[in-house]
Amino acid sequence: MAKINIDLCGMKLTNPIMPAAGPNVKDGEMCKKSIEGGAGAVVTKTISLLPADVPRPCMAEIKGGFLNTELWSELSKEQWVEKEYKIAKEAGAPMIISMGYTEEQIREVAPLVKPFADAVELSTHYVGTDVTPIIRALNAAKEALDVPVFMKMSPHTDIQKIAKAVEEAGADGLLMMNSYGPCMGIDVKTGYPIMGSQKGYGWLSGAAIKPIAVRCIYDVAQVVDIPIIGVGGVTNGLDAAEMIMAGASAVQVCTEAILKGPGIYGKIAKELNDFLDEHGYDDVAQIKGLTHKKMADRNFRTHSIPAYVDNNKCISCGICKKLCPYEAITIEDKLVIDKEKCFGCGLCVSKCPKGALGISFK
């Protein structure tokens, strides 16, 4: 089996899959269950000065993703310090404590978590272009703590510039990204918004935001040297591999853990391991940043290179034929692609259930 254990800023993880801060790690017992379910590290739900007053309803699965109005922990910081962190520590795994949000809040909260944290992650949910509020929050944590401090990033428009500034200010790692929004969903049966927030807005997470997260990881990995933890839309081992190929050292999972339970962490880790084995990799480190290397020999083009088919894999299901907008595919004894008609759009490649179709990038 391929090696999937990693060293993350001195923390030894059995695998690079861990929870993201959210309802899936709402208390110490759920943190313990994340390790029992196969996670490589514990991540705790974000705390701040006061417990969160969460509007209800606050979570809903939607087509392609998940809406939420989740905030930080509804449990007090005192309860976490007096009870929950101690229970979470019983799991015997590295523990990353999440806290937020402003410089003033972090100055008060950081000393409280110091006895329990192997690392901390800071969430500011700041989406502006002035990096000052993020740096001030980071400085507050660094002054109070002697463990790695990770900064959780929102999908900023100039994320490379902000990420580089955070690195230069002393961050030990980055997480990307926070949920995306605000967004909105409406229950057409009632006409009411799905979410219970004052404006009816929510934040988008789950599979729908994975392409945004992958792009953020890919961009930032080009300009920083500190580790990146990918988060946003990971549902299986291939998603984890995708983020690692973009440049992540590890990944976090929240929405899928809410929907499937804590066993999902181990399932994703196994799927990642299986992927590495199937493709001849001995170590997960071999795929880290792989896409950056591949881009060097990838030919950009605007002319058509027709798709190709491996008829040993093709089962003649007809999916590609039905969806081809250029009517370039026929199925007789076997699948045939008309090279004159094929636009090389790649749609059939993305939909083939057996991986029988491909596009050349050279």
Side-chain angles (χ1 to χ4, degrees):
M1 294 180 68
K3 177 184 174 185
I4 60 170
N5 58 301
I6 64 167
D7 183 305
L8 183 64
C9 293
M11 296 182 291
K12 307 298 183 183
L13 277 63
T14 55
N15 67 71
I17 314 301
M18 64 185 85
N24 50 311
V25 283
K26 65 182 180 63
D27 55 27
E29 288 295 338
M30 286 303 292
C31 290
K32 279 178 64 177
K33 287 179 180 177
S34 70
I35 298 301
E36 293 166 2
V42 169
V43 179
T44 62
K45 192 169 185 182
T46 309
I47 63 165
S48 193
L49 283 186
L50 298 174
D53 191 9
V54 181
R56 324 292 168 85
C58 57
M59 289 186 281
E61 187 173 16
I62 60 171
K63 186 176 181 180
F66 197 82
L67 279 180
N68 75 87
T69 57
E70 269 289 312
L71 301 172
W72 57 98
S73 178
E74 60 274 18
L75 306 180
S76 69
K77 62 183 184 300
E78 291 82 9
Q79 181 170 340
W80 276 98
V81 170
E82 294 167 11
K83 178 183 177 183
E84 309 302 336
Y85 291 139
K86 295 174 184 176
I87 295 172
K89 273 288 189 183
E90 293 172 3
M95 187 159 82
I96 302 171
I97 292 180
S98 179
M99 58 184 184
Y101 288 83
T102 65
E103 173 192 5
E104 294 75 20
Q105 291 168 338
I106 288 170
R107 285 196 185 281
E108 188 166 335
V109 172
L112 302 178
V113 309
K114 186 174 182 178
F116 308 100
D118 295 302
V120 298
E121 66 175 59
L122 306 183
S123 187
T124 64
H125 283 281
Y126 177 72
V127 294
T129 56
D130 178 9
V131 76
T132 305
I134 303 175
I135 300 303
R136 285 177 175 170
L138 173 66
N139 289 341
K142 295 289 287 187
E143 289 169 11
L145 300 166
D146 55 6
V147 296
V149 178
F150 305 140
M151 179 62 71
K152 193 167 187 177
M153 308 286 290
S154 293
H156 299 277
T157 54
D158 197 358
I159 198 164
Q160 285 185 322
K161 179 180 178 181
I162 293 175
K164 188 64 179 174
V166 171
E167 179 187 41
E168 290 173 349
D172 299 284
L174 301 170
L175 293 97
M176 54 193 58
M177 53 177 222
N178 273 314
S179 52
Y180 185 84
C183 301
M184 191 174 189
I186 293 173
D187 182 347
V188 295
K189 298 189 294 295
T190 66
Y192 290 114
I194 296 171
M195 294 288 98
S197 59
Q198 286 188 343
K199 292 185 177 181
Y201 298 166
W203 295 84
L204 183 65
S205 64
I209 71 167
K210 188 191 69 172
I212 306 174
V214 170
R215 192 274 299 171
C216 289
I217 295 165
Y218 178 81
D219 281 354
V220 169
Q222 297 176 63
V223 298
V224 303
D225 295 318
I226 55 178
I228 298 170
I229 301 173
V231 55
V234 173
T235 65
N236 55 48
L238 296 183
D239 293 336
E242 188 176 355
M243 285 192 171
I244 294 168
M245 287 182 179
S249 296
V251 300
Q252 293 185 348
V253 182
C254 181
T255 299
E256 196 71 1
I258 294 171
L259 296 172
K260 302 288 178 61
I264 194 64
Y265 309 115
K267 181 175 182 291
I268 292 173
K270 182 181 183 303
E271 289 170 349
L272 174 61
N273 207 324
D274 290 345
F275 167 81
L276 296 171
D277 288 342
E278 290 166 9
H279 290 80
Y281 296 109
D282 299 320
D283 192 318
V284 67
Q286 292 175 310
I287 68 167
K288 182 183 173 184
L290 178 63
T291 302
H292 297 272
K293 301 169 187 174
K294 289 286 188 178
M295 287 295 285
D297 62 8
R298 173 179 177 266
N299 291 328
F300 172 77
R301 64 177 186 273
T302 56
H303 63 277
S304 172
I305 295 181
Y308 58 85
V309 59
D310 181 347
N311 276 297
N312 292 319
K313 294 181 179 179
C314 178
I315 59 172
S316 298
C317 64
I319 293 173
C320 57
K321 183 178 184 297
K322 290 177 183 177
L323 60 79
C324 178
Y326 301 97
E327 299 182 320
I329 298 174
T330 57
I331 301 175
E332 296 172 2
D333 294 334
K334 61 181 181 179
L335 189 147
V336 177
I337 298 173
D338 187 323
K339 295 182 179 180
E340 296 299 319
K341 291 183 177 180
C342 179
F343 194 72
C345 69
L347 178 59
C348 61
V349 178
S350 69
K351 293 293 289 184
C352 179
K354 295 297 181 179
L357 292 160
I359 288 283
S360 174
F361 285 97
K362 294 185 178 180

CSV table of all heavy atoms in Angstrom, one decimal, residues 187-229:
chain,number,residue,atom,x,y,z
A,187,ASP,N,-37.7,27.9,-0.9
A,187,ASP,CA,-38.6,26.7,-0.9
A,187,ASP,C,-39.8,27.1,-1.7
A,187,ASP,O,-40.6,27.9,-1.3
A,187,ASP,CB,-39.0,26.4,0.6
A,187,ASP,CG,-39.9,25.2,0.6
A,187,ASP,OD1,-40.4,24.7,-0.4
A,187,ASP,OD2,-40.1,24.7,1.8
A,188,VAL,N,-39.9,26.5,-2.9
A,188,VAL,CA,-41.0,26.9,-3.8
A,188,VAL,C,-42.4,26.5,-3.3
A,188,VAL,O,-43.4,27.0,-3.8
A,188,VAL,CB,-40.7,26.4,-5.2
A,188,VAL,CG1,-39.5,27.1,-5.8
A,188,VAL,CG2,-40.6,24.9,-5.3
A,189,LYS,N,-42.4,25.5,-2.4
A,189,LYS,CA,-43.7,25.1,-1.9
A,189,LYS,C,-44.3,26.2,-1.0
A,189,LYS,O,-45.5,26.3,-0.9
A,189,LYS,CB,-43.5,23.8,-1.1
A,189,LYS,CG,-43.1,22.6,-1.9
A,189,LYS,CD,-43.1,21.3,-1.2
A,189,LYS,CE,-42.2,21.3,0.0
A,189,LYS,NZ,-40.7,21.3,-0.4
A,190,THR,N,-43.4,26.9,-0.3
A,190,THR,CA,-43.9,27.9,0.7
A,190,THR,C,-43.6,29.4,0.2
A,190,THR,O,-44.2,30.3,0.7
A,190,THR,CB,-43.3,27.7,2.1
A,190,THR,OG1,-41.9,27.9,2.0
A,190,THR,CG2,-43.5,26.3,2.5
A,191,GLY,N,-42.6,29.5,-0.6
A,191,GLY,CA,-42.1,30.8,-1.0
A,191,GLY,C,-41.1,31.5,0.0
A,191,GLY,O,-40.6,32.5,-0.2
A,192,TYR,N,-40.9,30.8,1.1
A,192,TYR,CA,-39.9,31.3,2.1
A,192,TYR,C,-38.5,30.9,1.7
A,192,TYR,O,-38.3,29.8,1.1
A,192,TYR,CB,-40.2,30.7,3.5
A,192,TYR,CG,-41.5,31.2,4.2
A,192,TYR,CD1,-42.5,30.4,4.4
A,192,TYR,CD2,-41.6,32.6,4.6
A,192,TYR,CE1,-43.7,30.9,5.0
A,192,TYR,CE2,-42.7,33.0,5.2
A,192,TYR,CZ,-43.8,32.2,5.4
A,192,TYR,OH,-44.9,32.7,6.0
A,193,PRO,N,-37.5,31.7,2.2
A,193,PRO,CA,-36.1,31.2,2.0
A,193,PRO,C,-35.9,29.9,2.8
A,193,PRO,O,-36.5,29.7,3.8
A,193,PRO,CB,-35.3,32.4,2.6
A,193,PRO,CG,-36.2,33.6,2.6
A,193,PRO,CD,-37.6,33.0,2.8
A,194,ILE,N,-34.9,29.1,2.3
A,194,ILE,CA,-34.6,27.9,3.0
A,194,ILE,C,-33.9,28.2,4.3
A,194,ILE,O,-34.1,27.4,5.2
A,194,ILE,CB,-33.7,27.0,2.0
A,194,ILE,CG1,-34.5,26.6,0.8
A,194,ILE,CG2,-33.2,25.8,2.8
A,194,ILE,CD1,-33.6,25.9,-0.3
A,195,MET,N,-33.1,29.2,4.3
A,195,MET,CA,-32.3,29.5,5.5
A,195,MET,C,-33.1,30.4,6.4
A,195,MET,O,-33.9,31.2,6.0
A,195,MET,CB,-31.0,30.2,5.1
A,195,MET,CG,-30.0,29.2,4.3
A,195,MET,SD,-29.3,27.9,5.4
A,195,MET,CE,-30.3,26.5,5.0
A,196,GLY,N,-32.7,30.4,7.7
A,196,GLY,CA,-33.4,31.1,8.7
A,196,GLY,C,-32.8,32.4,9.1
A,196,GLY,O,-33.2,33.1,10.1
A,197,SER,N,-31.8,32.9,8.3
A,197,SER,CA,-31.1,34.1,8.6
A,197,SER,C,-32.0,35.3,8.4
A,197,SER,O,-33.0,35.2,7.7
A,197,SER,CB,-29.8,34.3,7.7
A,197,SER,OG,-30.2,34.2,6.4
A,198,GLN,N,-31.6,36.5,8.9
A,198,GLN,CA,-32.5,37.6,8.8
A,198,GLN,C,-32.9,38.0,7.3
A,198,GLN,O,-34.0,38.3,7.0
A,198,GLN,CB,-31.8,38.9,9.5
A,198,GLN,CG,-31.9,38.8,11.0
A,198,GLN,CD,-31.4,40.1,11.6
A,198,GLN,OE1,-30.8,40.9,11.0
A,198,GLN,NE2,-31.7,40.2,12.9
A,199,LYS,N,-31.9,37.9,6.4
A,199,LYS,CA,-32.1,38.2,5.0
A,199,LYS,C,-32.5,37.0,4.2
A,199,LYS,O,-32.8,37.1,3.0
A,199,LYS,CB,-30.9,38.9,4.4
A,199,LYS,CG,-30.6,40.3,4.9
A,199,LYS,CD,-29.5,40.9,4.2
A,199,LYS,CE,-29.2,42.3,4.6
A,199,LYS,NZ,-28.1,42.9,3.9
A,200,GLY,N,-32.4,35.8,4.8
A,200,GLY,CA,-32.7,34.6,4.1
A,200,GLY,C,-31.5,34.0,3.4
A,200,GLY,O,-31.6,33.0,2.6
A,201,TYR,N,-30.4,34.7,3.5
A,201,TYR,CA,-29.2,34.2,2.8
A,201,TYR,C,-28.5,33.1,3.6
A,201,TYR,O,-28.7,32.9,4.8
A,201,TYR,CB,-28.1,35.4,2.7
A,201,TYR,CG,-28.6,36.6,2.0
A,201,TYR,CD1,-27.9,37.8,2.0
A,201,TYR,CD2,-29.7,36.5,1.1
A,201,TYR,CE1,-28.2,38.9,1.3
A,201,TYR,CE2,-30.1,37.7,0.4
A,201,TYR,CZ,-29.4,38.8,0.5
A,201,TYR,OH,-29.7,40.0,-0.2
A,202,GLY,N,-27.6,32.4,2.9
A,202,GLY,CA,-26.8,31.3,3.5
A,202,GLY,C,-25.5,31.3,2.8
A,202,GLY,O,-25.2,32.1,1.9
A,203,TRP,N,-24.6,30.4,3.2
A,203,TRP,CA,-23.3,30.2,2.6
A,203,TRP,C,-23.2,28.8,1.9
A,203,TRP,O,-23.7,27.8,2.5
A,203,TRP,CB,-22.2,30.4,3.7
A,203,TRP,CG,-22.3,31.7,4.2
A,203,TRP,CD1,-23.1,32.2,5.2
A,203,TRP,CD2,-21.5,32.9,3.8
A,203,TRP,NE1,-22.9,33.6,5.4
A,203,TRP,CE2,-21.9,34.0,4.6
A,203,TRP,CE3,-20.5,33.0,2.8
A,203,TRP,CZ2,-21.3,35.2,4.4
A,203,TRP,CZ3,-19.9,34.3,2.6
A,203,TRP,CH2,-20.3,35.4,3.4
A,204,LEU,N,-22.6,28.8,0.8
A,204,LEU,CA,-22.6,27.6,0.0
A,204,LEU,C,-21.3,26.8,0.3
A,204,LEU,O,-20.2,27.3,0.4
A,204,LEU,CB,-22.5,28.0,-1.5
A,204,LEU,CG,-22.6,26.8,-2.5
A,204,LEU,CD1,-23.9,26.1,-2.5
A,204,LEU,CD2,-22.3,27.4,-3.9
A,205,SER,N,-21.6,25.5,0.5
A,205,SER,CA,-20.4,24.6,0.8
A,205,SER,C,-20.7,23.3,0.0
A,205,SER,O,-21.7,23.2,-0.8
A,205,SER,CB,-20.2,24.3,2.3
A,205,SER,OG,-21.4,23.6,2.8
A,206,GLY,N,-19.9,22.2,0.2
A,206,GLY,CA,-20.2,21.0,-0.4
A,206,GLY,C,-19.6,20.9,-1.8
A,206,GLY,O,-18.8,21.8,-2.2
A,207,ALA,N,-20.0,19.9,-2.6
A,207,ALA,CA,-19.4,19.7,-3.9
A,207,ALA,C,-19.4,20.9,-4.9
A,207,ALA,O,-18.5,21.0,-5.7
A,207,ALA,CB,-20.1,18.5,-4.6
A,208,ALA,N,-20.4,21.7,-4.7
A,208,ALA,CA,-20.5,22.9,-5.7
A,208,ALA,C,-19.3,23.8,-5.6
A,208,ALA,O,-19.0,24.5,-6.6
A,208,ALA,CB,-21.8,23.6,-5.4
A,209,ILE,N,-18.6,23.9,-4.5
A,209,ILE,CA,-17.5,24.9,-4.3
A,209,ILE,C,-16.1,24.3,-4.6
A,209,ILE,O,-15.1,25.0,-4.5
A,209,ILE,CB,-17.6,25.6,-3.0
A,209,ILE,CG1,-17.2,24.7,-1.8
A,209,ILE,CG2,-18.9,26.3,-2.8
A,209,ILE,CD1,-16.9,25.5,-0.5
A,210,LYS,N,-16.1,23.0,-4.8
A,210,LYS,CA,-14.8,22.4,-5.0
A,210,LYS,C,-13.9,23.0,-6.1
A,210,LYS,O,-12.7,23.3,-5.9
A,210,LYS,CB,-14.9,20.9,-5.2
A,210,LYS,CG,-13.5,20.2,-5.2
A,210,LYS,CD,-13.6,18.7,-5.7
A,210,LYS,CE,-13.9,18.7,-7.1
A,210,LYS,NZ,-13.8,17.3,-7.7
A,211,PRO,N,-14.5,23.3,-7.3
A,211,PRO,CA,-13.7,23.9,-8.3
A,211,PRO,C,-13.1,25.3,-7.9
A,211,PRO,O,-12.0,25.6,-8.3
A,211,PRO,CB,-14.6,24.1,-9.5
A,211,PRO,CG,-15.7,23.0,-9.3
A,211,PRO,CD,-15.8,23.0,-7.8
A,212,ILE,N,-13.8,26.0,-7.1
A,212,ILE,CA,-13.3,27.3,-6.6
A,212,ILE,C,-12.1,27.0,-5.6
A,212,ILE,O,-11.1,27.7,-5.7
A,212,ILE,CB,-14.4,28.1,-5.9
A,212,ILE,CG1,-15.6,28.3,-6.8
A,212,ILE,CG2,-13.9,29.5,-5.5
A,212,ILE,CD1,-16.8,29.0,-6.1
A,213,ALA,N,-12.3,26.1,-4.7
A,213,ALA,CA,-11.3,25.7,-3.8
A,213,ALA,C,-10.0,25.2,-4.5
A,213,ALA,O,-8.9,25.6,-4.1
A,213,ALA,CB,-11.8,24.7,-2.8
A,214,VAL,N,-10.2,24.4,-5.5
A,214,VAL,CA,-9.0,23.9,-6.2
A,214,VAL,C,-8.3,25.0,-6.9
A,214,VAL,O,-7.0,25.0,-6.9
A,214,VAL,CB,-9.5,22.8,-7.2
A,214,VAL,CG1,-8.3,22.4,-8.2
A,214,VAL,CG2,-10.0,21.5,-6.5
A,215,ARG,N,-9.0,25.9,-7.5
A,215,ARG,CA,-8.3,27.0,-8.2
A,215,ARG,C,-7.6,27.9,-7.2
A,215,ARG,O,-6.4,28.3,-7.4
A,215,ARG,CB,-9.4,27.9,-8.9
A,215,ARG,CG,-8.8,28.9,-9.8
A,215,ARG,CD,-8.4,30.2,-9.2
A,215,ARG,NE,-9.6,30.9,-8.6
A,215,ARG,CZ,-9.5,31.9,-7.8
A,215,ARG,NH1,-8.4,32.5,-7.5
A,215,ARG,NH2,-10.6,32.5,-7.3
A,216,CYS,N,-8.2,28.1,-6.0
A,216,CYS,CA,-7.5,28.9,-5.0
A,216,CYS,C,-6.2,28.2,-4.5
A,216,CYS,O,-5.1,28.9,-4.4
A,216,CYS,CB,-8.4,29.1,-3.8
A,216,CYS,SG,-9.8,30.3,-4.1
A,217,ILE,N,-6.3,26.9,-4.3
A,217,ILE,CA,-5.1,26.2,-3.9
A,217,ILE,C,-4.0,26.2,-4.9
A,217,ILE,O,-2.9,26.5,-4.7
A,217,ILE,CB,-5.5,24.7,-3.6
A,217,ILE,CG1,-6.4,24.6,-2.4
A,217,ILE,CG2,-4.3,23.8,-3.3
A,217,ILE,CD1,-7.1,23.3,-2.3
A,218,TYR,N,-4.4,26.0,-6.2
A,218,TYR,CA,-3.5,26.0,-7.3
A,218,TYR,C,-2.8,27.3,-7.4
A,218,TYR,O,-1.6,27.4,-7.6
A,218,TYR,CB,-4.3,25.6,-8.6
A,218,TYR,CG,-3.4,25.7,-9.8
A,218,TYR,CD1,-2.6,24.6,-10.1
A,218,TYR,CD2,-3.4,26.8,-10.7
A,218,TYR,CE1,-1.8,24.6,-11.3
A,218,TYR,CE2,-2.6,26.8,-11.8
A,218,TYR,CZ,-1.8,25.7,-12.1
A,218,TYR,OH,-1.0,25.7,-13.2
A,219,ASP,N,-3.5,28.4,-7.3
A,219,ASP,CA,-3.0,29.7,-7.5
A,219,ASP,C,-2.0,30.0,-6.3
A,219,ASP,O,-0.9,30.5,-6.5
A,219,ASP,CB,-4.1,30.8,-7.5
A,219,ASP,CG,-4.7,30.9,-8.9
A,219,ASP,OD1,-4.3,30.3,-9.8
A,219,ASP,OD2,-5.7,31.7,-9.0
A,220,VAL,N,-2.4,29.8,-5.1
A,220,VAL,CA,-1.6,30.1,-3.9
A,220,VAL,C,-0.4,29.3,-3.8
A,220,VAL,O,0.7,29.7,-3.4
A,220,VAL,CB,-2.5,30.0,-2.7
A,220,VAL,CG1,-1.6,30.2,-1.4
A,220,VAL,CG2,-3.5,31.2,-2.7
A,221,ALA,N,-0.5,28.0,-4.2
A,221,ALA,CA,0.7,27.1,-4.2
A,221,ALA,C,1.9,27.6,-5.0
A,221,ALA,O,3.0,27.3,-4.8
A,221,ALA,CB,0.3,25.7,-4.6
A,222,GLN,N,1.6,28.5,-6.0
A,222,GLN,CA,2.6,29.0,-6.8
A,222,GLN,C,3.4,30.2,-6.2
A,222,GLN,O,4.5,30.5,-6.6
A,222,GLN,CB,2.0,29.6,-8.1
A,222,GLN,CG,1.3,28.5,-9.0
A,222,GLN,CD,0.6,29.1,-10.2
A,222,GLN,OE1,1.3,29.7,-11.1
A,222,GLN,NE2,-0.7,29.0,-10.2
A,223,VAL,N,2.9,30.7,-5.1
A,223,VAL,CA,3.5,31.9,-4.5
A,223,VAL,C,3.9,31.7,-3.0
A,223,VAL,O,4.6,32.6,-2.5
A,223,VAL,CB,2.6,33.1,-4.6
A,223,VAL,CG1,2.4,33.5,-6.1
A,223,VAL,CG2,1.3,33.0,-3.9
A,224,VAL,N,3.5,30.6,-2.4
A,224,VAL,CA,3.9,30.4,-1.0
A,224,VAL,C,4.7,29.1,-0.8
A,224,VAL,O,4.6,28.2,-1.6
A,224,VAL,CB,2.7,30.4,0.0
A,224,VAL,CG1,1.9,31.7,-0.2
A,224,VAL,CG2,1.8,29.2,-0.2
A,225,ASP,N,5.4,29.1,0.3
A,225,ASP,CA,6.2,27.9,0.6
A,225,ASP,C,5.6,27.1,1.8
A,225,ASP,O,6.0,26.0,2.1
A,225,ASP,CB,7.7,28.2,0.9
A,225,ASP,CG,8.4,28.8,-0.3
A,225,ASP,OD1,8.2,28.2,-1.4
A,225,ASP,OD2,9.1,29.8,-0.2
A,226,ILE,N,4.7,27.7,2.5
A,226,ILE,CA,4.1,27.1,3.7
A,226,ILE,C,3.0,26.1,3.3
A,226,ILE,O,2.5,26.2,2.2
A,226,ILE,CB,3.5,28.1,4.7
A,226,ILE,CG1,2.5,29.1,4.0
A,226,ILE,CG2,4.7,28.9,5.3
A,226,ILE,CD1,1.9,30.1,4.9
A,227,PRO,N,2.7,25.1,4.1
A,227,PRO,CA,1.7,24.1,3.7
A,227,PRO,C,0.3,24.8,3.5
A,227,PRO,O,-0.1,25.7,4.1
A,227,PRO,CB,1.7,23.2,4.9
A,227,PRO,CG,2.9,23.4,5.6
A,227,PRO,CD,3.3,24.9,5.4
A,228,ILE,N,-0.4,24.1,2.6
A,228,ILE,CA,-1.8,24.5,2.3
A,228,ILE,C,-2.7,23.3,2.7
A,228,ILE,O,-2.4,22.2,2.3
A,228,ILE,CB,-2.0,24.9,0.9
A,228,ILE,CG1,-1.2,26.1,0.5
A,228,ILE,CG2,-3.5,25.1,0.6
A,228,ILE,CD1,-1.2,26.4,-1.0
A,229,ILE,N,-3.8,23.6,3.4
A,229,ILE,CA,-4.8,22.6,3.7
A,229,ILE,C,-6.0,22.9,2.9
A,229,ILE,O,-6.6,24.0,3.0
A,229,ILE,CB,-5.1,22.5,5.2
A,229,ILE,CG1,-3.9,22.2,6.1
A,229,ILE,CG2,-6.2,21.5,5.5
A,229,ILE,CD1,-4.1,22.4,7.6
